């Protein structure tokens, strides 16, 4: 299951404003349920424990009648293709608005994962400012690692390494 979330510390984050902005952008959320995605839960819970975070907001697609429960697959797809199609992913627009509001956060962790079933699995941790995230996605094809198979001549995506942006405007 595709997973996109923000976690951090309530003491330096206006969680209700993040939820309000997600609502304005019509992005459904799941709050404080680290078990929501069993393929991500072990690593997510371990990360949150070690970083001592006290809130979790998962961003999902709108539910469809065919889904058991919504995932972040549509949001992920839009991040992977916006450079190709010249579209404006709603999730990046949401992050731009979040960045524009100076008093919403001091430090956040923005998590992209698909499989994180082993709690001590290696992750990619990038320390960035919020404005750098759009640049990252304009250069990379989404958050997964993209490899080229020299023998096959094809590109393929590797979803096994979660990407976490440690967002701190003083970085």
């Amino acid at each position: 299951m595709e997973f996109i979330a923000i976690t951090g510390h309530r003491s330096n984050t206006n969680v209700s404003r993040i939820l309000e902005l997600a609502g304005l952008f019509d992005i459904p959320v799941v709050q404080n349920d680290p078990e929501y995605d069993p393929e991500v839960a072990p690593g997510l819970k371990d990360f949150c424990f070690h970083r001592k975070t006290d809130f979790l907001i998962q961003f999902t697609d709108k539910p469809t009648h065919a889904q058991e429960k919504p995932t972040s697959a549509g949001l992920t797809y839009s991040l992977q293709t916006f450079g190709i199609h010249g579209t404006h992913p709603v999730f990046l627009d949401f992050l731009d608005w979040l960045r524009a509001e100076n008093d919403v956060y001091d430090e956040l962790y923005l998590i992209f994962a698909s499989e994180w079933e082993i709690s001590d699995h290696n992750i990619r941790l990038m320390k960035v400012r919020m404005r750098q995230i759009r640049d990252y996605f304009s250069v990379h094809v989404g958050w997964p690692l993209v490899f080229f198979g020299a023998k096959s001549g094809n590109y393929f995506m590797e979803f096994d390494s979660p990407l976490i942006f440690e967002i701190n405007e003083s970085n």
Side-chain angles (χ1 to χ4, degrees):
M1 185 184 304
E2 301 301 315
F3 180 88
I4 300 174
I6 285 179
T7 189
H9 305 95
R10 287 184 183 277
S11 62
N12 62 16
T13 306
N14 185 340
V15 175
S16 61
R17 185 62 182 148
I18 294 173
L19 295 170
E20 184 180 333
L21 284 172
L24 290 174
F25 281 89
D26 207 19
I27 302 172
V29 300
V30 175
Q31 293 183 62
N32 300 317
D33 186 0
E35 298 285 340
Y36 184 83
D37 182 345
E39 294 177 347
V40 173
L44 176 66
K45 290 191 300 188
D46 190 60
F47 178 84
C48 292
F49 173 78
H50 288 293
R51 296 294 175 159
K52 297 177 177 55
T53 65
D54 57 8
F55 76 88
L56 175 68
I57 301 170
Q58 179 182 352
F59 303 96
T60 69
D61 302 326
K62 291 181 185 175
T64 66
H65 64 281
Q67 290 176 311
E68 261 185 51
K69 56 183 172 181
T71 70
S72 302
L75 294 173
T76 297
Y77 179 76
S78 69
L79 292 172
Q80 291 171 336
T81 61
F82 90 97
I84 299 165
H85 300 298
T87 58
H88 295 280
V90 68
F91 191 72
L92 290 182
D93 292 341
F94 160 75
L95 293 178
D96 287 344
W97 273 73
L98 188 60
R99 176 178 56 94
E101 303 222 359
N102 298 335
D103 62 345
V104 174
Y105 65 92
D106 286 334
E107 180 180 79
L108 292 173
Y109 298 97
L110 178 58
I111 301 169
F112 296 87
S114 182
E115 297 175 14
W116 200 0
E117 296 168 337
I118 302 170
S119 62
D120 63 349
H121 188 85
N122 291 331
I123 62 171
R124 295 172 292 148
L125 180 66
M126 297 179 67
K127 296 181 180 196
V128 299
R129 292 185 174 150
M130 186 71 81
R131 65 178 163 72
Q132 295 172 295
I133 295 172
R134 183 177 287 275
D135 294 339
Y136 177 90
F137 284 107
S138 68
V139 172
H140 297 86
V141 182
W143 67 265
L145 291 170
V146 179
F147 293 101
F148 180 75
K151 188 175 183 180
S152 69
N154 295 319
Y155 289 93
F156 63 95
M157 293 184 170
E158 174 61 56
F159 288 90
D160 290 343
S161 297
L163 172 61
I164 301 176
F165 292 109
E166 181 179 317
I167 304 166
N168 186 321
E169 297 308 313
S170 62
N171 281 338

